Amino acid sequence: MKKIIVTMLMMAFFATLTNAQGVYFGVKGGLNNTKLNTDMEGVILDSDYGWFLGPTLRIDILPFLGVQGSAFYSQNQSKLNGVKIKQKSVIIPLDARLNIPVNDETGIFLSAGPQFGFNTGEDDYNIFGSNSGEARDNIHNTFQLKKSMFSWNFGAGLSLTKNIEFGFVYSVALAKTGEIKDLKKEDKAKARGWQASATIYF
């Protein structure tokens, strides 16, 4: 079902090309900082840094209104009980943009929209036992990342020229990012974090 929704949103996104005033293709990348949140007692939560990089497409439908879609390879990290959870994934943010020009070259922008993620790396970590940090087949005493993620992004940024932008995004998971399991109970975990990025348009 999630793949169908992603496909429909991408079709609607590219359909706006017909009426667009400006189309800009580029590369976007930067740093992220992620923290997993859970209500389970006895789990120590810490944030950690990662990175992301990939192509981006911006479409200005009107001078002040546009949309932007990207496809990033991302490595974001967090810590549970001191164990580094390294999530490798492909993420696809689809944002609406409000462009506020300052002059012909510079301006600021606000953005918001959904983000879809698909895990491509390790998804099972032992965060309770003596072998903490090692992947294991037993589902007990582990943290398991979900195969797909769904988040909502809120962003703002600065356009220095028509070809260079800097941005900041705060991302909140709307569905569980993973599950913490022990011998007696289990609990969901959701990720929150920020991204700092630079974009170069060709």
Side-chain angles (χ1 to χ4, degrees):
M1 183 63 182
K2 289 183 179 179
K3 291 184 178 180
I4 295 175
I5 294 174
V6 172
T7 302
M8 293 177 64
L9 287 172
M10 291 296 289
M11 290 175 63
F13 178 80
F14 287 111
T16 59
L17 282 169
T18 304
N19 298 318
Q21 289 193 349
V23 179
Y24 305 90
F25 178 77
V27 175
K28 184 176 182 178
L31 299 177
N32 55 45
N33 182 276
T34 307
K35 184 177 182 180
L36 291 164
N37 296 278
T38 179
D39 294 328
M40 180 175 283
E41 296 181 0
V43 178
I44 302 173
L45 309 171
D46 293 297
S47 62
D48 205 349
Y49 291 92
W51 59 272
F52 64 97
L53 180 68
T56 187
L57 179 66
R58 169 187 161 194
I59 303 170
D60 289 342
I61 303 170
L62 297 171
F64 62 89
L65 183 65
V67 292
Q68 187 162 9
S70 306
F72 301 132
Y73 175 75
S74 172
Q75 288 192 12
N76 49 295
Q77 302 177 156
S78 56
K79 292 180 180 179
L80 298 176
N81 286 349
V83 177
K84 183 175 290 187
I85 307 298
K86 191 172 185 177
Q87 185 176 22
K88 300 178 181 180
S89 58
V90 174
I91 57 175
I92 303 173
L94 301 172
D95 296 320
R97 285 176 51 122
L98 177 63
N99 302 312
I100 306 171
V102 175
N103 55 43
D104 291 339
E105 289 290 326
T106 64
I108 60 176
F109 63 88
L110 303 175
S111 64
Q115 176 174 285
F116 304 89
F118 304 94
N119 189 30
T120 61
E122 181 61 62
D123 59 3
D124 194 358
Y125 295 85
N126 179 7
I127 65 171
F128 293 111
S130 59
N131 294 323
S132 293
E134 298 180 3
R136 49 186 277 176
D137 295 329
N138 189 344
I139 67 170
H140 299 297
N141 297 330
T142 65
F143 173 76
Q144 292 181 321
L145 288 167
K146 302 298 290 183
K147 295 297 184 183
S148 60
M149 296 78 68
F150 178 55
S151 306
W152 195 268
N153 292 341
F154 303 90
L158 173 66
S159 299
L160 291 182
T161 69
K162 292 183 178 180
N163 301 100
I164 300 176
E165 287 184 349
F166 294 97
F168 182 89
V169 169
Y170 183 70
S171 182
V172 180
L174 299 182
K176 60 185 177 182
T177 307
E179 293 178 325
I180 298 174
K181 301 173 181 285
D182 66 15
L183 295 175
K184 297 181 179 179
K185 60 182 179 179
E186 62 182 57
D187 193 19
K188 63 185 178 182
K190 291 185 177 181
R192 293 189 178 189
W194 54 260
Q195 301 172 348
S197 66
T199 307
I200 299 177
Y201 295 107
F202 304 118

